[in-house]
Amino acid sequence: MEVSLKRIGFDSRHILENLFPYYVYDMSEFMGWPPNSDGVFTFNPETLDSYWKEASHSPYFIHVGKEIAGFALVRNYPGEPEVFDIEQFFVLRKFKGKGVGKKALLAVVANHHGKWQIRVLKENEAALKFWVSAVTHVVGSCYEVSLDIDVDLEMHFIRFETVS
């Protein structure tokens, strides 16, 4: 299965905005977010603006062959600009469990060498298991997992480093 990344240009932002409610739906399991009165999971599209305004932010579509399989939103972590952070990462359900996420992480870190962190909601045990496996695939056992506060949530932080 050929997995690749494509940087999301501003002209394709609307596609990301169309996919984003599926991510919000997935996260609602842990965050308790309800759909709106029309039954739609919504978000504020302005939260994506920095991906086209800030040089330290990189939006990517994940592709399997020519098909969009998800997205990865990468940034330098606020307050620690030397650390790359996956702000959001989403793989469509039809591609889950097929190695797409692991291959996408490999492609992401190949584009951004250095210190990394991945934040995982404390309650999301399946995501933690995925990320530990994916990071192990990238750096072997050279990572650490800890509980820290991110803004106002206690989260698992997976920290590692890649070299060119």
Side-chain angles (χ1 to χ4, degrees):
M1 187 174 294
E2 180 192 342
V3 176
S4 62
L5 295 181
K6 181 181 177 189
R7 187 155 182 130
I8 304 172
F10 188 76
D11 60 330
S12 296
R13 177 183 170 148
H14 69 283
I15 299 169
L16 176 62
E17 289 180 9
N18 290 341
L19 288 171
F20 214 84
Y22 298 108
Y23 170 78
V24 173
Y25 166 72
D26 276 0
M27 296 304 293
S28 73
E29 177 180 356
F30 307 102
M31 300 302 291
W33 298 326
N36 68 15
S37 60
D38 291 323
V40 177
F41 284 89
T42 61
F43 71 103
N44 179 354
E46 292 176 2
T47 61
L48 300 175
D49 288 350
S50 59
Y51 282 90
W52 290 273
K53 291 181 177 178
E54 303 290 333
S56 62
H57 288 57
S58 302
Y60 298 103
F61 283 130
I62 301 167
H63 284 265
V64 172
K66 294 183 179 189
E67 187 175 350
I68 293 176
F71 58 82
L73 302 180
V74 177
R75 65 181 180 165
N76 294 98
Y77 192 63
E80 292 182 68
E82 73 283 1
V83 176
F84 293 109
D85 175 71
I86 295 183
E87 188 172 17
Q88 280 96 19
F89 187 91
F90 175 72
V91 174
L92 290 167
R93 289 192 182 274
K94 79 180 258 183
F95 296 108
K96 287 192 178 188
K98 298 181 179 178
V100 172
K102 286 182 182 180
K103 290 178 182 177
L105 177 63
L106 273 172
V108 166
V109 299
N111 286 344
H112 305 276
H113 298 285
K115 293 180 181 180
W116 274 92
Q117 72 179 19
I118 298 170
R119 296 163 298 113
V120 181
L121 289 171
K122 187 176 172 182
E123 302 80 10
N124 194 342
E125 294 175 18
L128 180 62
K129 182 178 175 183
F130 161 76
W131 282 114
V132 167
S133 177
V135 168
T136 300
H137 187 70
V138 174
V139 295
S141 61
C142 299
Y143 66 90
E144 66 176 43
V145 179
S146 61
L147 282 172
D148 284 316
I149 301 296
D150 179 58
V151 183
D152 61 350
L153 291 174
E154 187 174 35
M155 302 182 87
H156 293 282
F157 279 68
I158 304 169
R159 294 181 173 97
F160 59 99
E161 190 168 346
T162 61
V163 292
S164 53

